[in-house]
Amino acid sequence: REAESFKEQGNAYYAKKDYNEAYNYYTKAIDTCPNNASYYGNRAATLMMLGRFREALGDAQQSVRLDDSFVRGHLREGKCHLSLGNAMAASRCFQRVLELDHKNTQAQQELKNASTVLEYEKIAEVDFEKRDFRKVVFCMDRALEFAPACHRFKILKAECLALLGRYPEAQSVASDILRMDSTNADALYVRGLCLYYEDCIEKAVQFFVQALRMAPDHEKACLACRNAKALKAKKEDGNKAFKEGNYKLAYELYTEALGIDPNNIKTNAKLYCNRGTVNSKLRKLEEAIDDCTNAVKLDDTYIKAYLRRAQCYMDTEQYEDAVRDYEKVYQTEKTKEHKQLLKNAQVELKKSKRKDYYKILGVDKNASEDEIKKAYRKRALMHHPDRHSGASAEVQKEEEKKFKEVGEAFTILSDPKKKARYDSGQDLEEDGLNMGDFDANNIFKAFFGGPSGFSFEASGPGNFFFQFG
């Protein structure tokens, strides 16, 4: 009678959803009368409401041990198994209920739920092997609707989230498990995996070591720990060689590091960028651009790789590509330095689309006044129309065009003010100079100082000399 009184009080608290008090009174009933199946069944139901499915499972199992015909006991045991992710054991429990009561609709539905969970498990296993991690996450989310307390499903989901680069979500799932079970080796492994993929390799190793302490045969933690240590060592060796100026060795070490783990996207992005820096030092600029491109493919937020590639584009006079990269950088980080880099690239792009007067004269951008004069003398004589009077109309037209361009180039580069404006990328029209208005012959006469006519005369096959009139 005392036990029944405790049970009734427990029922009252259960009805009011005060599950902690209900648990206390059902426990008193069990302590008073430990061989009553319904008391264990009631406490199992209370523990399920509190989310303590493993403890609830023990009570449900005890209830059916005491009374194998206790339908609600079998139902609760099955529900606990299913909530904990053991769908096979759950199915056996629901089948037992149907043996006792073949019309039990709850058991029929729960049996379907267990079959659904088993199906999602099979699909997830196949998709994990195919590395279709999004599909695995989907399957685990569906399975967890029926098995909310299954650590195994949560860990698989968290591992796939980490492999998809969704680190905050993965860490959240693993941390929730570790709060309930700080010794869970799988959760420790996933926490380490997130850190490893975020390029926090030293911290990651600590979690892998801890996981291996809890489960020495944990294959994934063992492999990840080995990769992390190898990657860290190889990257540091590469950095050391670079600082010492041994670029060839640095290149080899970074290349070896890139072969360790293709899944580590962030670290590999940094390794590609580092190797790109090495290639730029070795003046292998196209290879440097390729490395930086690989870096931003892996991590499209990696500012350093964009800056390195942009500089290589500048060095190879690919100004449009440089402007595009600097625009990306400036949109992400609006600093004065990035604004100036973008402006410089835009100026060079603008300059590249004009006539290259240095190239027309065949001189360096740092050419002296005398060098510019000598270059003009040589090119003007080479392309003067009189020299090509016997050529075809097409050749004459082309040489006349070149003669005019040589005159333009000399007009600009021989005038310090115009040259400064040209070098800085400013519009020469602002200086009042319209290149269509000048006469190349006048410039030629002014330069050579001839008071009257001049002529080209042949001195032999293919040879000419200039003669003033």
Side-chain angles (χ1 to χ4, degrees), residues 330-380:
Y330 185 62
Q331 286 166 9
T332 307
E333 293 183 0
K334 294 186 183 296
T335 67
K336 286 183 179 179
E337 181 187 357
H338 295 158
K339 186 176 183 179
Q340 187 59 48
L341 287 169
L342 173 58
K343 187 178 178 182
N344 293 345
Q346 289 170 334
V347 167
E348 291 302 322
L349 174 61
K350 185 177 178 182
K351 286 162 65 175
S352 71
K353 291 183 176 180
R354 309 171 308 175
K355 290 179 182 178
D356 187 340
Y357 290 138
Y358 291 102
K359 190 174 181 180
I360 288 169
L361 287 184
V363 294
D364 185 78
K365 289 182 180 181
N366 297 315
S368 66
E369 189 178 340
D370 283 343
E371 287 171 330
I372 289 170
K373 286 180 179 179
K374 286 178 183 177
Y376 173 71
R377 179 182 291 111
K378 178 181 176 183
R379 295 294 172 108

Side-chain angles (χ1 to χ4, degrees), residues 20-37:
N20 287 312
E21 277 303 308
Y23 172 83
N24 291 335
Y25 278 98
Y26 290 140
T27 301
K28 288 177 182 179
I30 289 169
D31 291 342
T32 306
C33 187
N35 295 318
N36 187 302

Side-chain angles (χ1 to χ4, degrees), residues 318-336:
Q318 299 178 64
Y319 300 120
E320 285 188 13
D321 292 320
V323 167
R324 187 192 63 241
D325 276 357
Y326 283 132
E327 282 176 344
K328 170 79 174 176
V329 170
Y330 185 62
Q331 286 166 9
T332 307
E333 293 183 0
K334 294 186 183 296
T335 67
K336 286 183 179 179

Side-chain angles (χ1 to χ4, degrees), residues 196 199 201 227 230-239 250-262 264-279 288 291-292 294-296 298-299 302 304-305 308:
Y196 172 61
D199 199 39
I201 295 179
N227 282 346
L231 203 52
K232 182 173 180 287
K234 198 69 74 174
K235 183 182 175 186
E236 286 176 352
D237 288 346
N239 292 347
Y251 178 90
E252 291 171 0
L253 289 165
Y254 289 140
T255 303
E256 288 171 18
L258 282 164
I260 292 172
D261 184 2
N264 195 322
I265 290 170
K266 283 215 168 183
T267 303
N268 287 342
K270 290 183 179 180
L271 288 167
Y272 272 120
C273 187
N274 287 1
R275 197 173 72 174
T277 304
V278 171
N279 274 323
D291 277 338
C292 293
N294 284 325
V296 298
L298 292 175
D299 182 2
Y302 193 14
K304 189 175 178 181
R308 172 61 57 195

